[in-house]
Amino acid sequence: QQPVQSPQAVILREGEDAVINCSSSKALYSVHWYRQKHGEAPVFLMILLKGGEQKGHEKISASFNEKKQQSSLYLTASQLSYSGTYFCGTEFLLGGSQGNLIFGKGTKLSVKP
Amino acid sequence: EAQVTQNPRYLITVTGKKLTVTCSQNMNHEYMSWYRQDPGLGLRQIYYSMNVEVTDKGDVPEGYKVSRKEKRNFPLILESPSPNQTSLYFCASSLWGSGGSSYEQYFGPGTRLTVT
């Protein structure tokens, strides 16, 4: 049931772009994205809901393909501050309660000068 | 300042000695949740609560108890801790409404627990 994130790790140079993917084996109600820096708590980035609604920070973009049960997080013109581990969390449409958020194992992003 | 607080931040204990990790939020959030984080496994939800006296199991509830008697507090209880409960624990809170949990979660700073 745990969503699968890919890649597991990625190294970028400042200014480069990256895409982080999150795939589920079950139909999704929502996808949440968080970033965690080393030694800190996760910080909210974005929520994508079934039906197309999105809530999040203006500088972050993401997509939610309901048919494919996938979400992607797009990081453009990366900055050093983008470094950290990115987690997607999923809520299922059926067979699970809303509020039961299941996170993937994370994608470690390193941005080099 | 809007925040989620956890206490203690660090705890070393022995197998079988009951302990409680407190979590409190000052944002009047309905939803609160506990997660554990272990290397390579991501965040795993232990329990969550949609409002006072309403709690439900997450993915790894075994060995844990929770209670939600007040809106602001959501303590995590380990009645008989074991070494496999050594982990980093996070409490989180958010709004809750007709959109379910589709609101930003605010995480506490974490509690690092070691059970020997």
Side-chain angles (χ1 to χ4, degrees):
Chain A
Q1 285 191 342
Q2 191 174 30
V4 177
Q5 290 186 231
S6 62
Q8 291 183 341
V10 58
I11 300 174
L12 299 174
R13 292 286 180 190
E14 267 189 298
E16 291 182 338
D17 301 338
V19 180
I20 300 173
N21 301 302
C22 177
S23 297
S24 172
S25 59
K26 296 171 68 171
L28 297 173
Y29 172 76
S30 70
V31 180
H32 300 222
W33 286 98
Y34 287 80
R35 177 173 60 214
Q36 184 179 30
K37 293 185 179 289
H38 184 69
E40 298 181 6
V43 173
F44 170 78
L45 295 176
M46 177 163 284
I47 291 173
L48 303 103
L49 299 169
K50 177 176 165 28
E53 184 179 358
Q54 296 187 4
K55 305 176 188 178
H57 298 294
E58 293 179 3
K59 293 188 176 181
I60 299 289
S61 66
S63 65
F64 181 16
N65 187 322
E66 294 174 36
K67 284 187 178 179
K68 291 186 177 180
Q69 297 157 191
Q70 292 177 346
S71 176
S72 295
L73 186 70
Y74 305 98
L75 302 167
T76 57
S78 59
Q79 305 170 18
L80 295 176
S81 61
Y82 287 12
S83 293
T85 300
Y86 290 75
F87 293 99
C88 72
T90 54
E91 273 185 296
F92 298 129
L93 190 61
L94 298 171
S97 303
Q98 279 190 298
N100 182 198
L101 197 58
I102 301 176
F103 283 93
K105 293 182 179 180
T107 295
K108 186 173 182 180
L109 180 77
S110 300
V111 181
K112 309 288 186 187
Chain B
E1 179 190 355
Q3 60 182 349
V4 178
T5 57
Q6 295 179 225
N7 282 294
R9 293 289 312 280
Y10 302 90
L11 180 59
I12 300 174
T13 189
V14 296
T15 299
K17 186 176 181 182
K18 181 179 179 179
L19 66 92
T20 299
V21 183
T22 64
C23 173
S24 183
Q25 49 93 5
N26 63 0
M27 295 169 278
N28 202 34
H29 285 166
E30 294 86 4
Y31 178 91
M32 297 186 75
S33 180
W34 276 104
Y35 301 92
R36 62 176 290 174
Q37 185 172 34
D38 303 288
L41 297 181
L43 293 155
R44 293 183 292 168
Q45 193 175 45
I46 303 171
Y47 272 94
Y48 59 100
S49 169
M50 289 75 79
N51 215 324
V52 176
E53 302 293 0
V54 182
T55 62
D56 209 344
K57 296 178 181 179
D59 296 317
V60 289
E62 296 79 18
Y64 304 95
K65 285 177 59 176
V66 293
S67 68
R68 186 92 182 272
K69 293 185 170 59
E70 302 170 283
K71 196 173 186 179
R72 63 182 293 125
N73 296 323
F74 191 44
L76 180 69
I77 303 158
L78 285 73
E79 298 249 339
S80 183
S82 63
N84 65 12
Q85 292 178 299
T86 292
S87 186
L88 178 60
Y89 291 86
F90 286 104
C91 179
S93 73
S94 73
L95 294 171
W96 178 271
S98 59
S101 70
S102 54
Y103 297 95
E104 171 181 359
Q105 289 196 22
Y106 294 81
F107 282 78
T111 294
R112 188 166 292 279
L113 173 67
T114 302
V115 184
T116 61

